[in-house]
Amino acid sequence: MSAVPLADWFAGDGPLAAQVPGYSPRAVQQEMAESVASALQSGQHLLVEAPTGTGKTLAYLMPALTSGCKVIVSTATRHLQDQLFSKDVPLVQAALDRPLKVSLLKGRSNYLCLHRLSLTESAGDLRRADLLKRLRDIRVWAGRTRTGDIGEIGDPADASPLWPRVTSTADNCLGTSCPVYDKCWVVEARRAAQAADLVIVNHYLLFADMSLREEGFGEVLPGADAVILDEAHKLPDIAGRFFGQALSGRQLRDLVRDGHAEALEAGGDMPQLSTSLDELAHAEINFEQTLGELQGSASLAEITEDKTRQSALQQLGVELDSLLAQIQPLAERSEGLGNIARRTTAARERLTLLLTHDNCNVRWLERRGAGWVLHTTPLDVAEPFTRALAVHKGAWIFTSATLSVNQRLDYFAERLGLNSAHQLILDSPFDYEKNSLLYTPTGLPQTSAANYDEAVAETALPLIRASGGGAFLLCTSYRAVNRCAQILRTQGVRPLLVQGEAGRAELLKQFRAVDNAVLVGTSSFWEGVDVRGRGLRLVIIDRLPFASPGDPVLSARIQSMKDQGDEPFSEYQIPQAVIALKQGVGRLIRDKDDRGLLAICDPRLRSRSYGKIFLKSLPQMPVTHELNVAREFLAAMAAQT
């Protein structure tokens, strides 16, 4: 631990102030830093709600980098990883003026695999000119990159059909048997992580490690003395995915394609294997076609009520068995074929598990576009999560701007089994009383009414006109987005940016480019969006964001809670919606000088008793039900600019 008191690091004339333009000491930031330092020293678990403006990143990085511990910092997205690595950590290192080894570690799908690049080049099945050119560009880039991170040449999230073909997964990686293992960028990134004082990962990679789902990454976590999890409000849902099992149509299609490529590489004289691979491909296509127009999520029981779907699902098992019979005798011919045999075995075992009912997991199907994924998700993630924490001892620090419900952290703690963790809820450094106003309009119909979306759009119009734009209209469904956008457009609202009409990054770029735009969006704009200053001065929320009762995981958890004598609405659904609402509200005030109006249209905020829980969980801002008061606030704000 550093001999320099943390208070000195955060002082107005301290090392951080010298590195951060406009820095001013914040008592809540120092309080958080002291709590993090204490947790690191004692090895305890700590939950911290740190509202926007606290400066939580520096509040955990400074004690982490002065602790003498090896620390893993995990955050929600690759973008936030890159921001930590390229901006925040260098700033703290400059303030400390000492050498520290910092490593950025991403999942396998972010690194080019030279072996799979060669397989794709030799397969000869690419026909599109743009993909062939892209493949040549990747080969050229492979000769000069130092990291192999495909973020240098493209976006791994852009759904390009090339990325899965030139990156590896835990399933298809050949490990030490790979012919280019000595040039593997995943291995290099792991080696750097082993030697680092601070390793920056994301939650998905961390949970892959914790659940031992991804072979090899288990070597990273045991070497750490402490783990700090930023954006921790996302953890319970991510944990559910990783402590369950999944099998997707894409995995089977990749297995078929790779099987053909490895057979060709090994000599190509395997007609029966080729036939079995083709039969599996046909069975996957047939199952996908039986899903028809189904989109979203459905329980597996609901899916298999249809006998055609049930038969098609069973046929997948038959074809996997047939493929196993063909591939196992050939597994010794090459490491690639051996890998195909292992992947086929794993897929068959996973399918068997997914089709076997038990009382601890939800079995469900997710459909997005033409793709499908079968899942099992634990009804309770607290048990596997606490087991994982017991194995990986040391300090675990969980922080986010939105963890509390009704000024308590019990809901988050219980979902992850962290009831004995030390808890800290920090006050917001922003003056919400002076700089914001909450408008809860009267006269709207019930949220279930057929004309509710129209009523929301009509409520939004005078506010948008009074503010001169600079507004987010956040909806809880795509249907509401489209209907509200349609009405605003017919009423002449311009510029109008609508989710689905361009990518998220492009919409935000266009919104920030002017100060009078109106953006209508759903879930992806409720969090992780930072627009400071006058650019965003009005946030309108259509409904309290209760999760869809049709969601199979939610439905099963509700039933399980009822069976145990619990009250799912008050103990689970309301807290879940409160945290989601706080994320949406958090878009409005992002800086101490920001001002803005928040409108929550949902009449249940006033008419139902649980509305008080939502209000008490929000920042303490003045409230009005009067449209004229809301418009006057917006007009006064406009006059001050």
Side-chain angles (χ1 to χ4, degrees):
M1 192 76 179
S2 170
V4 179
L6 275 172
D8 292 351
W9 293 111
F10 290 95
D13 57 353
L16 279 175
Q19 298 297 325
V20 182
Y23 179 85
S24 60
R26 280 164 281 187
V28 288
Q29 186 180 46
Q30 185 175 325
E31 183 181 359
M32 177 176 173
E34 296 283 1
S35 295
V36 170
S38 176
L40 291 171
Q41 192 171 26
S42 63
Q44 71 182 23
H45 296 166
L46 172 67
L47 312 181
V48 185
E49 180 173 79
T52 303
T54 301
K56 65 180 168 65
T57 304
L58 296 182
Y60 65 68
L61 281 178
M62 184 60 78
L65 289 171
T66 57
S67 66
C69 300
K70 175 165 183 161
V71 180
I72 291 175
V73 173
S74 180
T75 191
T77 64
R78 289 185 297 257
H79 171 73
L80 292 173
Q81 275 186 277
D82 290 333
Q83 179 176 304
L84 277 166
F85 184 71
S86 62
K87 178 184 175 185
D88 299 319
V89 170
L91 187 152
V92 174
Q93 287 180 301
L96 291 172
D97 192 26
R98 68 178 66 171
L100 290 163
K101 294 180 180 178
V102 180
S103 171
L104 178 66
L105 184 60
K106 299 180 181 179
R108 290 175 181 270
S109 63
N110 293 274
Y111 299 98
L112 178 69
C113 173
L114 289 172
H115 173 63
R116 292 183 59 77
L117 174 61
S118 296
L119 284 178
T120 302
E121 289 171 326
S122 61
D125 61 334
L126 291 178
R127 297 289 182 267
R128 284 169 44 185
D130 61 324
L131 293 181
L132 289 168
K133 180 182 182 303
R134 189 67 164 154
L135 192 64
R136 291 192 293 270
D137 291 343
I138 292 171
R139 172 57 74 181
V140 172
W141 167 75
R144 64 173 184 265
T145 180
R146 294 184 178 183
T147 67
D149 186 338
I150 61 176
E152 296 175 1
I153 192 174
D155 182 356
D158 69 3
S160 168
L162 271 183
W163 297 137
R165 299 193 60 170
V166 299
T167 58
S168 70
T169 66
D171 287 338
N172 62 35
C173 176
L174 302 182
T176 56
S177 299
C178 179
V180 285
Y181 180 78
D182 60 336
K183 298 178 181 179
C184 178
W185 281 296
V186 174
V187 172
E188 282 300 309
R190 292 180 185 175
R191 286 174 180 160
Q194 287 292 315
D197 302 298
L198 182 79
V199 184
I200 302 170
V201 302
N202 60 60
H203 297 336
Y204 293 92
L205 181 56
L206 181 71
F207 274 97
D209 188 299
M210 290 177 68
S211 60
L212 303 180
R213 288 278 299 277
E214 196 159 359
E215 183 181 354
F217 278 102
E219 69 201 32
V220 175
L221 190 55
D225 301 307
V227 180
I228 299 173
L229 300 105
D230 203 346
E231 298 294 304
H233 63 280
K234 291 178 171 289
L235 294 175
D237 290 333
I238 295 174
R241 292 293 182 104
F242 275 91
F243 289 125
Q245 293 284 341
L247 180 68
S248 69
R250 175 174 164 177
Q251 285 175 299
L252 296 180
R253 291 190 297 273
D254 288 350
L255 174 63
V256 169
R257 187 190 62 240
D258 293 347
H260 281 302
E262 294 293 356
L264 185 65
E265 186 83 0
D269 54 338
M270 309 168 198
Q272 289 180 309
L273 174 61
S274 180
T275 298
S276 290
L277 288 165
D278 289 341
E279 290 297 330
L280 177 59
H282 177 74
E284 188 280 321
I285 292 170
N286 185 52
F287 176 63
E288 185 273 318
Q289 289 176 342
T290 67
L291 299 176
E293 299 300 316
L294 176 71
Q295 288 293 310
S297 305
S299 70
L300 192 59
E302 180 183 343
I303 292 296
T304 54
E305 284 178 357
D306 183 303
K307 298 304 180 184
T308 302
R309 290 174 179 169
Q310 184 182 42
S311 176
L313 193 55
Q314 291 171 341
Q315 191 62 30
L316 285 175
V318 171
E319 298 305 340
L320 282 167
D321 287 336
S322 176
L323 178 57
L324 267 177
Q326 293 298 323
I327 191 66
Q328 285 176 332
L330 303 170
E332 300 299 321
R333 291 186 58 165
S334 72
E335 181 57 35
L337 289 174
N339 175 262
I340 297 300
R342 290 189 292 274
R343 289 166 63 184
T344 306
T345 301
R348 185 63 182 103
E349 291 174 350
R350 204 170 298 161
L351 181 62
T352 299
L353 182 64
L354 286 159
L355 297 180
T356 302
H357 175 74
D358 68 75
N359 293 324
C360 299
N361 293 279
V362 186
R363 301 179 304 150
W364 56 289
L365 180 136
E366 180 181 21
R367 187 89 189 282
R368 296 290 181 268
W372 59 268
V373 188
L374 286 171
H375 296 274
T376 63
T377 301
L379 286 168
D380 179 12
V381 299
E383 182 180 348
F385 188 75
T386 51
R387 281 202 310 266
L389 260 61
V391 172
H392 305 295
K393 298 184 184 297
W396 285 73
I397 297 158
F398 304 80
T399 185
S400 170
T402 54
L403 292 181
S404 72
V405 177
N406 208 9
Q407 301 303 310
R408 297 177 64 89
L409 296 174
D410 297 355
Y411 169 71
F412 177 81
E414 289 169 2
R415 287 197 72 190
L416 291 180
L418 298 170
N419 304 76
S420 61
H422 179 66
Q423 300 184 6
L424 176 64
I425 299 177
L426 297 169
D427 294 328
S428 173
F430 298 152
D431 190 348
Y432 280 92
E433 186 72 29
K434 176 183 177 182
N435 292 335
S436 65
L437 179 66
L438 170 59
Y439 172 49
T440 59
T442 59
L444 275 83
Q446 294 300 308
T447 55
S448 58
N451 65 335
Y452 184 76
D453 294 335
E454 288 80 356
V456 167
E458 294 297 331
T459 300
L461 272 169
L463 301 175
I464 291 169
R465 287 167 177 155
S467 71
F472 275 8
L473 173 50
L474 300 178
C475 301
T476 53
S477 70
Y478 284 101
R479 181 184 60 79
V481 165
N482 294 331
R483 185 64 185 127
C484 288
Q486 181 185 32
I487 293 171
L488 294 181
R489 186 168 279 130
T490 60
Q491 293 296 317
V493 173
R494 302 287 190 277
L496 185 65
L497 307 172
V498 183
Q499 185 170 354
E501 295 182 359
R504 180 175 182 268
E506 177 59 26
L507 289 173
L508 284 172
K509 179 181 177 181
Q510 293 180 34
F511 186 87
R512 292 188 177 108
V514 296
D515 72 351
N516 65 335
V518 176
L519 189 151
V520 187
T522 185
S523 55
S524 62
F525 287 95
W526 282 66
E527 58 182 295
V529 175
D530 190 7
V531 181
R532 303 190 179 206
R534 175 175 164 76
L536 179 57
R537 50 198 178 271
L538 171 62
V539 170
I540 305 165
I541 292 175
D542 73 334
R543 290 172 172 86
L544 298 177
F546 286 103
S548 168
D551 177 82
V553 178
L554 175 62
S555 177
R557 283 185 176 146
I558 288 173
Q559 188 58 53
S560 177
M561 292 182 72
K562 287 179 178 178
D563 292 343
Q564 296 174 47
D566 297 324
E567 175 44 61
F569 187 68
S570 61
E571 296 174 20
Y572 182 73
Q573 292 170 273
I574 288 176
Q576 187 182 46
V578 166
I579 289 177
L581 179 67
K582 289 172 67 174
Q583 281 291 323
V585 170
R587 299 316 97 212
L588 183 62
I589 304 294
R590 307 294 299 175
D591 192 82
K592 63 182 179 65
D593 296 322
D594 282 3
R595 301 190 70 218
L597 183 135
L598 168 68
I600 303 178
C601 298
D602 197 321
R604 293 173 294 183
L605 197 63
R606 290 175 291 99
S607 65
R608 302 294 176 89
S609 59
Y610 58 75
K612 296 177 182 178
I613 299 174
F614 284 90
L615 289 171
K616 191 174 179 180
S617 301
L618 297 180
Q620 295 304 298
M621 57 180 72
V623 182
T624 183
H625 309 314
E626 302 296 330
L627 175 60
N628 286 340
V629 174
R631 286 197 289 204
E632 287 170 6
F633 178 88
L634 290 168
M637 188 168 57
Q640 293 176 6
T641 59

